[in-house]
Amino acid sequence: MKILIIEDEARIAKRIERMTRDFFDRDAQILLCDSVENGLNTIEKQSIDLLLLDLNLNGENGFDVLQTIVARSFQTIIISAYTDRAITAFQYGVLDFVPKPFDANRLTQAFIRFTTPEKNSGQEIQFLAVKKARNIKLIAINDIRYIKGAGIYTELHLSSGRIELHDKSMESLEKLLPSTFERIHKSYILRWEEVDKLVVEAGGKYNMLLKNSELLPVGRSKYKEIKQKLI
Amino acid sequence: MYRSTFFTVLLVLLFTSCKQYTEYVKSDVTYYVDDDKPQDFLGQSADSIFKVYIDVELISRESTSYPLGLQVNGFGAFDVYWDGFLVGSNGKMAKSGRAEIPGTEMTYYQIPENLAKIGKHTVTVIGTQADLRESRRGIKVKLESYLRLHRAPLIVMSFMNLMAGAFLIASIYYFFLYINSTRKEATVLLFGIICLLFFCLLIIEYIKFYIDIPYTNFYNRLQIVGLLTFVISILVPWYFMLQFDFKKKKLLLFLLLISLLTIYIIWYGHYDFTAIYFSYAMCAVSIIIAIDATIRKIKGGLIVVVGLLASVIVNKFIFYDFGLFIAFTIIVLSMLYLHTIRAKALEEAHNASLLLSSRLQLELVKKNIQPHFLRNTLTSLIDWIEESPQQGVVFIRALADEFDIMNSISEDTLIPIQREIELCRKHLDIMSFRKEICYTWEEKNIDPNEEIPPAVIHTIIENGITHSLPPKKGCITFSLSFSREKNHKQYTLLTMAENRNRKKENSNGTGFKYIKARLNESYGSNWHFESFAVEKGWCTTIKIFDKK
């Protein structure tokens, strides 16, 4: 596992590095960058799994960076002094926001959120950032009808009928999405408002009928849970 | 909008008061006087005795309950007879061995009731005129109720003294304002002078009613009035020029002066005409200035144009004497109004500067509590305490010291340079704990008596720390030097380090805004701030020019 820390204050960077190493033990390869520029270069060259980002780096606004980064496949945890930006950060789809000053407990909590497949119960994400050519496009969560896994990518099926590709995995997205979304199959996450009814086909196949008459498969292991939720 | 209403009401009041007066002077005695004769009565003889008969025909009297009065205007010392009966004398005639005691120009006499019958009468004036014989002034008589003859001037005076008093108070007030003001504005002084001159003009004009001025000094008074009008006619347009910031001040003043002198020369000796033409010239020039101001959309321009036009109208429709003074009053009132507009603008500017000062104070205080500084510092601090408590304590002390200095300077607009340097050094201590970079401080040629706005160098250092790459080995050095040139002093702060790539050119960032606002606050526009990359790193200079 590769973890990148972008932090311009040497002492704090070391602190984060130490705590990260304590938590992940030997699994992690930790990279350190002290500027946005170096950080972005590193992201381009190496595929990382987790980014620990400071929002204000040498006087540069980290939000510009954040917008370009959240479209990537890796998860981002913000570690910042600007606690008032936390809500915005969550809206852009970060996994957690650790306010400075922080201790080992708080950072560990963020790491646990990263390692366990539990849903993000905290702040509600409002956008998913999607890479479009060289730009970043923000897609409102409410526009998404369902998400389909497609190899290392995911497909966002929008209410307009269009499909956008996202770099994050089904597992990563599941952590970010609010509770109005439900994983119904290993390849499908569905917005619950789209649900019409559960259809049982011959051969014990379960399908979910959507309000627009589309049919999505329901995983065997999920069936009971879904049925419960429908009642 | 209530202001214009106020002005209208004021103007109406002024007009009505005059109107009342003109109605009041309407004579209650109707008479015919043959005043062709008494123009050229002075003989060529050296003894200068004259004897003038004036025929008067009394046609009607409205009321006989008050005695009939006779007003005589003329030079010399004389006795006045009504139908051969001596009714009074003015001064003492010259007699052999006794020089003339001059009388005054205007005198009143009571006519005995038994002689004041309807019909023809003769006024005989017998006297001497030793002086001013060349003026050929003539003698005029006027019949009127004796009471009204005395009361009429009192009524004029009551209005004129009212105005004079107001102008005296205004002039004193504006002189005090000028003396006690730190700004020493020329317009304030000028306005005070105009008010004072105007007060003098009113007093001198009407002093004839209180004091018996010997006829020999009659023209002196008129000359003073002329002089005062002349000066006022220059000062009023000048005031408007200053107040409206008129472009070609000198040219217009020169033209005005030339025209006033021309009027003086052409109408030399005709005192009344001179004064009225002076005021015309003044009005014309003032209207030009005010119209120019209105076109340039300067506040108050329109109201002055209206005021001036109003005074022209007043002058046209009201008998000269008061017309002129009322016109002047309107002009001075519009000047006063202009002044209050100006005072309001100054007050607003002052409030804005106070607001700015307190905003800068706040900004200074915020430097140490803003999240980026405080939370990052605390995070590093926790780490130091957890990892090496002894160093952590040193860190805490440095932080406490910086807070102390910040606290002690937060309300000042200028602090000793040594205090500022102390603040910078403490900040570098803190930052070296945080960044684990070695920062060193150098200073050259610092004059400990110099002062500087608080946290200005500190802000430059903050920027230097942010925008410098950590050195591969050694330290980042900040070097502050001071130099004094002929007309300015200069602080130069050199940051010796490799610069980071700056994505955005933020030479107008909040840090620089703070520095510029602080320099403005203390030095007005007499400063120059520059910040640029140099080979060694980054150089920032602050030049403070000596006051002009």
Side-chain angles (χ1 to χ4, degrees), chain B residues 37-217:
Chain B
K37 273 190 280 181
Q39 281 300 332
D40 199 12
F41 47 80
L42 290 176
Q44 296 301 317
S45 61
D47 61 1
S48 69
I49 295 176
F50 64 86
K51 192 169 187 179
V52 181
Y53 300 96
I54 300 165
D55 295 327
V56 177
E57 188 178 356
L58 194 55
I59 295 162
S60 73
R61 284 174 71 192
E62 262 175 33
S63 159
T64 50
S65 53
Y66 297 115
L68 182 67
L70 171 68
Q71 177 186 318
V72 179
N73 294 76
F75 282 178
F78 47 78
D79 294 336
V80 179
Y81 298 87
W82 176 268
D83 290 342
F85 181 84
L86 179 70
V87 287
S89 51
N90 178 23
K92 289 225 167 95
M93 278 187 281
K95 278 184 181 161
S96 53
R98 193 189 71 185
E100 175 189 285
I101 297 174
T104 190
E105 195 260 347
M106 182 159 69
T107 40
Y108 309 116
Y109 307 93
Q110 188 181 338
I111 309 298
E113 200 50 44
N114 56 346
L115 297 177
K117 300 261 160 37
I118 302 294
K120 286 189 176 173
H121 301 279
T122 309
V123 177
T124 315
V125 181
I126 303 169
T128 58
Q129 186 182 345
D131 274 320
L132 300 174
R133 294 166 67 87
E134 68 287 350
S135 72
R136 297 152 67 89
R137 175 104 176 152
I139 286 184
K140 277 188 180 159
V141 297
K142 179 183 164 190
L143 289 176
E144 177 66 284
S145 142
Y146 190 62
L147 184 70
R148 283 200 174 176
L149 274 183
H150 283 84
R151 195 179 268 165
L154 283 180
I155 290 162
V156 181
M157 299 279 298
S158 69
F159 288 113
M160 294 305 154
N161 282 347
L162 204 67
M163 279 198 251
F167 287 117
L168 180 64
I169 296 293
S171 78
I172 292 171
Y173 174 74
Y174 276 91
F175 285 142
F176 284 159
L177 201 64
Y178 181 75
I179 292 165
N180 284 322
S181 141
T182 46
R183 296 174 170 275
K184 302 283 178 226
E185 269 190 279
T187 46
V188 173
L189 183 64
L190 205 54
F191 189 72
I193 293 173
I194 291 169
C195 284
L196 183 69
L197 289 178
F198 197 62
F199 162 77
C200 294
L201 182 65
L202 282 168
I203 293 299
I204 297 290
E205 179 64 30
Y206 290 97
I207 203 169
K208 61 183 176 187
F209 290 128
Y210 329 87
I211 296 173
D212 284 341
I213 304 165
Y215 76 92
T216 46
N217 289 328

